[in-house]
Amino acid sequence: MNEKIKSLYLSYLEKNISKPDEEYLILWLKRNPDYVKEFNEIRRLWSLANTSGKINNILVEKEWNLFSQMVEKEKSAQIRPQNNLMYWLPRMAATFLLGMIISAAIAYAVFNTENSNVVYQEINTPAGAQSKIALPDGSTVWLNAESRLRYSNQFGKKQREIFLTGEAFFEVAKNKEKMFVVQASDLSIKAYGTSFNVKSYPEENTVETTLVEGRIGVKKAGLKKDKSNEIMLEPNQRVVYYKTSANVAAPEKEDIENEMITANSKKENKQPTYMISKGIDPSPFTSWKEGTLLISSETLANLAIKLERKYDVKIQFKNEALKKIKFSGPLQNETVEQAIEAISIAAQIDYEINDRNILFKGIKTNK
Amino acid sequence: MWFSRLYGNNTDKPVTIEEFRGIFQELFPELCLYATKFVGDFDTSKDLVHDVFADFWTNSEKLKNKSLVKPYLYKAVKNRALNYNKREKRKSRLDELFDSQNVIVDFSDNNDIISAISYEDLQADLEEAIGKMPEQRQAIFRMSRFQQMKHKEIAEELNISPKTVETQIYRSLIFLRSKLSHYLNDR
């Protein structure tokens, strides 16, 4: 087989092959049928390798969330025909309507050969709500709006592993024997008796970890337990992890005076990409648990996402340019109307509120 | 519990949400892997499997006498994927040539289920095999497959010629094929 065939075949795999080249390859394969099997298996390998990297527990969680939301929507739209299954639907609705509820969602997982049952405890908070949770090991977690915390009945026995989607503040009880590990997106955050904040919403491209007290180690899940793969944080440090290297955008929120390090554990291997800020004030990142939003030079686009979660509203923009306007300042006990009014006055923006829908229209014109 | 339902146990009760959730979490990954056999890319597979679950959800009442959820879902994924291919007509002639060579496991009875790919095994085996390659080749393969970088981008990033990148990727593929052959034959 010559180099040209290899090269054409690889461009076929990358879906980057021209029609004539493809015909050429087909003709070649007809003359060399021995290669059909090899190429076919490589093609399968190609798609498996791609797929395998993308599947993990967090993805399945995310898909399940999407799925259960879809079912919920269907129900409220009354499209779903009456049938036997209706009997439990109100229970699901309760998860969404009653604010935080601890659903005894039971998942049986089969590990290895022994059929040991693992039962998961799950805590959900909808938009507009927050909750404070006492964990069996004495640790405390504040769960922000639209977030989910999940841990098994094995929690506290041999390990203290907890799964987070969304944002939470952890105050971890000291226990040297049992490491406290937060799994957020594809990061593992190990705590050694400490308090810290993790923000990992599926729709955002970053996982942000802010350390207030103690010591934590951040590592991409699946990497070896090697010191070089783990980033250790000291108090008042913050690490932003970019989920996909393709979308590594320069972070807008970092203050310039902070020392910034981009940690690339291996130069030739771009993943994982982290941004570490030292000597920061952690309070803007943790104030949500006291119900305060400390906004520090944030774009209206980012602020809108936070307001949507805090107040359970939908915010839309008529004019894209508005998204780039930056804001600073605290938001505490304001109602959503007051908060929006304050933004409107500060930036001279016209807006409309219609029930739970807010539309930012444009810059006010001077009359 | 859903487990007994999954592996064959005739009951008349409808599927409960807890059972459904268990089924979803257990089977979503492997059904995605199965779907990639037909449609190739992961995002499409994920959407197809999602749709299959949605259908299964609305129709699961019909299924109450069917003892095996798993073969049912596998079959549904296959049908949906084939329909998708027909509808989209997105297959190239080369795709068709390769597809025609493939034996598709039908999962029409319980025994075949055992041969379903577990993504955990696949990930572990793939990772182990990649780890056995020379370092530069590993890096190039990861960039190509896990970060979806094109040859040219990899070449620029590593400051080597695109030809070298191609050669390295091809060698990785030949090597991995030999290590992972049990995932690739007749599947």
Side-chain angles (χ1 to χ4, degrees), chain A residues 311-352:
Chain A
Y311 294 112
D312 189 17
V313 291
K314 283 274 160 280
I315 297 179
Q316 282 174 322
F317 292 87
K318 205 169 179 178
N319 180 344
E320 289 291 309
L322 297 178
K323 290 184 175 175
K324 298 208 173 94
I325 302 176
K326 289 192 173 180
F327 288 87
S328 295
L331 278 176
Q332 199 159 15
N333 297 319
E334 286 84 357
T335 63
V336 64
E337 288 82 6
Q338 286 167 334
I340 299 294
E341 179 65 23
I343 290 169
S344 143
I345 291 169
Q348 292 293 301
I349 302 176
D350 264 333
Y351 68 98
E352 252 174 41

Side-chain angles (χ1 to χ4, degrees), chain A residues 99-124:
Chain A
M100 191 216 82
I101 109 161
I102 298 171
S103 58
I106 294 169
Y108 293 91
V110 183
F111 288 109
N112 305 324
T113 44
E114 54 177 55
N115 291 1
S116 61
N117 290 336
V118 175
V119 181
Y120 287 97
Q121 182 85 266
E122 197 178 284
I123 298 131
N124 291 297

Side-chain angles (χ1 to χ4, degrees), chain A residues 74-121:
Chain A
E74 218 179 297
K75 191 214 157 214
S76 56
Q78 296 290 318
I79 298 166
R80 195 182 155 76
Q82 286 276 329
N83 66 30
N84 283 352
L85 290 158
M86 283 302 281
Y87 99 100
W88 62 259
L89 271 170
R91 291 193 210 170
M92 267 202 71
T95 316
F96 293 87
L97 298 174
L98 287 181
M100 191 216 82
I101 109 161
I102 298 171
S103 58
I106 294 169
Y108 293 91
V110 183
F111 288 109
N112 305 324
T113 44
E114 54 177 55
N115 291 1
S116 61
N117 290 336
V118 175
V119 181
Y120 287 97
Q121 182 85 266

